[in-house]
Amino acid sequence: MKQLAAHDFEDLLQVSLLVEPHNQLLLDLLFSLSCWHALAKLHLQTMSTIKFLQKLTQALGYYLQKFARITCTVYDAHELVQELNFYTYKLHSLGDYPSAIQQYGTYDGFSTQVMSY
């Protein structure tokens, strides 16, 4: 489970089911993540989409914190050092995407995936 890309997390989370109310919280989080990802990857951005991305980033932060505060405390799960957590730069920089898109343009030419040749 090292070096997972976004599509790997998507595949893992699509088969995740929890008991209520945690399942609904997980679904809300997944929906926010997928909407945020789709909006951030648009090839054409407008001021409306950038403002919506800003609001969606706030909602995503809310659901991430709620998931960590409520669901993660119920289940006996242990995070490995190399896994995604609240202290990684990628997660911390999500709030910078809207202003960066406005300043530098869209991210359609960039990828964080590790390429092997």
Side-chain angles (χ1 to χ4, degrees):
M1 303 248 338
K2 292 182 178 181
Q3 301 292 326
L4 293 178
H7 64 87
D8 296 317
F9 283 108
E10 179 185 354
D11 294 340
L12 288 172
L13 293 173
Q14 283 178 351
V15 297
S16 299
L17 293 175
L18 305 174
V19 295
E20 292 300 339
H22 307 291
N23 192 56
Q24 185 59 50
L25 183 53
L26 177 65
L27 293 175
D28 291 341
L29 176 59
L30 291 176
F31 182 76
S32 297
L33 279 167
S34 62
C35 288
W36 190 95
H37 184 258
L39 196 55
K41 294 291 257 179
L42 285 176
H43 293 276
L44 178 64
Q45 296 280 357
T46 65
M47 285 307 296
S48 296
T49 60
I50 292 172
K51 286 180 183 178
F52 186 60
L53 183 59
Q54 288 171 331
K55 290 187 183 295
L56 193 55
T57 303
Q58 291 175 343
L60 178 58
Y62 168 79
Y63 285 119
L64 282 169
Q65 290 176 1
K66 189 173 180 182
F67 183 80
R69 186 178 66 250
I70 296 172
T71 303
C72 292
T73 58
V74 172
Y75 290 91
D76 186 24
H78 302 280
E79 187 173 301
L80 301 176
V81 176
Q82 67 270 21
E83 290 182 335
L84 180 64
N85 59 49
F86 283 113
Y87 304 107
T88 60
Y89 178 74
K90 274 187 177 183
L91 187 61
H92 180 73
S93 68
L94 293 182
D96 297 329
Y97 269 69
S99 60
I101 290 172
Q102 191 173 5
Q103 187 173 3
Y104 301 111
T106 62
Y107 281 87
D108 54 343
F110 301 98
S111 174
T112 59
Q113 290 181 318
V114 176
M115 304 298 284
S116 60
Y117 297 96

